[in-house]
Amino acid sequence: MEKRVMTNSRRRRGLTVASALLGGVLVLSACSGGGGGKASGSGNSGTSQAKADEAAAKKASEADIRITPKDGTDNASINNSAAVTVSKGTLTSVSMTTESGTPVAGTLSADKTSWKPNGQLDRSTKYKVSAAAKDSAGRVAHENASFTTVSPANSFIGTFTPDNGTTVGVGMPVSINFDKAITNKAAVQKGITVSSSSGQEVVGHWFGANRLDFRPEQYWKENSTVTLKLNLDGVQGASGVYGVQQKTVTFHIGRNQISYVDAKTKQMKVTQDGKVIKTIPISAGSPQHTTYNGIMVMSEKYQQTRMNGTTVGFTDNDGKAEYDIKDVPHAIRLTNSGTFLHGNYWGAKSIFGNVNTSHGCVGLSDTKGAKDTSTPGYWMYTHSIVGDVVVISNTGDKVVQPDNGLNGWNLSWAQWKAGSAV
């Protein structure tokens, strides 16, 4: 009985070995080429199994490559999301291209453990990334991924003023206009900081869903530096809409120049650091077309520009413009609705300082062509910078709306802070 059991046991072991060898042959056959070589038999089955065992015994590379965003990502950031890193190894190659094959330039870190694109990516673009790395034993690892960046429809940007590196007047707010309506105002405002070297407190104020301005309680301190930081990358501004901007902007505040226009006396006093440096006769809006009262900030300057009444609603009964002057000299914009401080060559010299005749602008005596350096219009234009303040009074009109131009100074500090979302 015992001998019979031993025989059966040997038979089972023999079947097991045969099965293992057969399995080894099948694995090798599945991975080999389709050539018509000799069938494996008992003569080389041991060698084939040994090779399979050797291949299986080899450890894979320890290098662990990570590509971000992860494969298949949609709405990826165009700023910081793309990166390749490796642990337990060094990168040997990284390739990033658009779906059409356009290469994206990037930089490998000094220790060869990370790689990033050199610049901002394009929106609505599919990118492919392929990377290779090796571990300390020289064993190679590979990784591939593709992702698509956020589309314009799913992202927002803010157009801001003033520009980087400019010098502006003490009244210049930071004004940001977004191309999408912002519903998550607190998150967006938290992603924006404005600071001054003067140490003044700076607060944001929302004008509707698309505009956010920043200013201190009083005008900026002269000769200070203001820094705007936009950290909006990935910030959700509205449902399904994300920020893409990451930018730092600095601008300089120049001398303190504030001009005071009195429509009753028809004089403008230009001050610097609180001292009157020039008094200029003016002609403000007529009784039929009065000029706004209030604090206004110079937002644009034109050596010459066209002014057509139809653009601001001044038309005759036949629909034609009440005026159309194609070469208004030394024009400085004060409101979006068309209030300018500008030179006037067509009016009699006697009106300046004596009669208010305009359609709402503030006129200064000037000469056609904008080249006469002796005129008040020329002097004012050349002594003004964007951001300078003009305070207009005694016009008989209402105070200008704070969002009509860069004129938020017409709100009290309490009113201003009440418009903040944070």
Side-chain angles (χ1 to χ4, degrees):
M1 190 71 177
E2 181 178 352
K3 185 176 181 180
R4 184 176 180 181
V5 170
M6 290 294 290
T7 302
N8 289 341
S9 176
R10 289 191 187 95
R11 184 179 295 112
R12 284 195 296 270
R13 284 199 298 272
L15 290 172
T16 300
V17 171
S19 176
L21 288 173
L22 181 58
V25 171
L26 288 174
V27 169
L28 289 176
S29 297
C31 296
S32 65
K38 294 180 179 179
S40 297
S42 58
N44 63 5
S45 60
T47 303
S48 298
Q49 182 62 45
K51 289 181 178 179
D53 291 345
E54 182 182 358
K58 285 186 177 180
K59 289 185 178 181
S61 175
E62 293 184 348
D64 184 13
I65 302 172
R66 299 293 176 89
I67 297 176
T68 56
K70 66 180 181 179
D71 188 41
T73 297
D74 290 323
N75 291 327
S77 166
I78 62 175
N79 293 293
N80 295 324
S81 63
V84 180
T85 59
V86 65
S87 59
K88 297 182 180 180
T90 56
L91 292 168
T92 56
S93 68
V94 177
S95 171
M96 182 175 180
T97 66
T98 64
E99 190 172 27
S100 62
T102 303
V104 176
T107 300
L108 185 66
S109 63
D111 61 2
K112 297 182 179 181
T113 61
S114 65
W115 179 96
K116 285 188 176 182
N118 290 341
Q120 191 179 65
L121 304 180
D122 294 327
R123 289 191 284 182
S124 291
T125 302
K126 185 174 183 178
Y127 290 93
K128 296 182 177 181
V129 182
S130 179
K134 63 181 179 181
D135 63 11
S136 58
R139 293 169 294 198
V140 179
H142 296 272
E143 194 70 45
N144 295 278
S146 64
F147 62 89
T148 303
T149 51
V150 65
S151 68
N154 294 109
S155 61
F156 71 89
I157 60 172
T159 303
F160 56 85
T161 190
D163 291 333
N164 186 49
T166 55
T167 297
V168 296
V170 296
M172 188 70 183
V174 172
S175 185
I176 307 169
N177 286 274
F178 299 105
D179 64 347
K180 302 280 195 313
I182 303 300
T183 57
N184 195 359
K185 292 180 178 179
V188 171
Q189 189 174 334
K190 287 177 182 177
I192 303 171
T193 59
V194 180
S195 60
S196 172
S197 62
S198 66
Q200 292 173 274
E201 179 188 10
V202 184
V203 175
H205 181 99
W206 287 89
F207 292 111
N210 293 79
R211 176 176 167 183
L212 174 61
D213 285 14
F214 290 83
R215 52 157 269 213
E217 181 176 5
Q218 305 296 330
Y219 300 132
W220 301 105
K221 297 295 184 183
E222 60 272 16
N223 300 316
S224 59
T225 298
V226 179
T227 301
L228 161 67
K229 291 184 178 180
L230 297 169
N231 293 307
L232 297 174
D233 186 51
V235 174
Q236 187 171 23
S239 178
V241 179
Y242 299 87
V244 295
Q245 287 172 295
Q246 209 169 353
K247 192 175 184 67
T248 298
V249 174
T250 60
F251 58 94
H252 184 71
I253 305 299
R255 73 286 178 274
N256 184 322
Q257 179 166 305
I258 303 173
S259 300
Y260 297 89
V261 173
D262 188 331
K264 186 175 181 180
T265 64
K266 303 166 187 68
Q267 302 290 321
M268 177 171 66
K269 296 183 183 298
V270 183
T271 70
Q272 285 190 4
D273 300 321
K275 298 179 180 179
V276 177
I277 62 171
K278 195 172 185 67
T279 300
I280 301 175
I282 60 92
S283 179
S286 69
Q288 296 77 30
H289 306 295
T290 50
T291 305
Y292 287 127
N293 282 306
I295 303 168
M296 305 182 203
V297 175
M298 298 181 180
S299 58
E300 293 177 304
K301 292 176 62 184
Y302 304 99
Q303 186 174 23
Q304 294 187 85
T305 192
R306 179 183 182 181
M307 291 188 179
N308 187 295
T310 58
T311 62
V312 288
F314 290 122
T315 58
D316 295 324
N317 292 333
D318 59 3
K320 294 183 179 179
E322 290 185 18
Y323 59 89
D324 187 6
I325 305 168
K326 297 184 174 69
D327 56 353
V328 177
H330 303 126
I332 303 172
R333 181 182 291 277
L334 301 179
T335 70
N336 292 342
S337 61
T339 307
F340 279 80
L341 179 70
H342 64 78
N344 178 332
Y345 67 80
W346 54 91
K349 301 299 181 185
S350 60
I351 67 172
F352 301 102
N354 294 300
V355 186
N356 290 324
T357 61
S358 82
H359 283 75
C361 292
V362 177
L364 290 70
S365 180
D366 212 328
T367 302
K368 185 179 177 66
K371 294 182 180 179
D372 187 347
T373 62
S374 66
T375 67
Y378 178 90
W379 185 94
M380 190 64 192
Y381 184 85
T382 56
H383 284 77
S384 298
I385 59 176
V386 168
D388 281 349
V389 178
V390 179
V391 183
I392 303 177
S393 61
N394 298 320
T395 68
D397 206 332
K398 62 183 179 181
V399 173
V400 65
Q401 289 295 309
D403 59 345
N404 187 359
L406 303 175
N407 300 324
W409 301 102
N410 293 285
L411 294 174
S412 69
W413 187 233
Q415 290 173 320
W416 185 265
K417 293 177 77 172
S420 173
V422 298

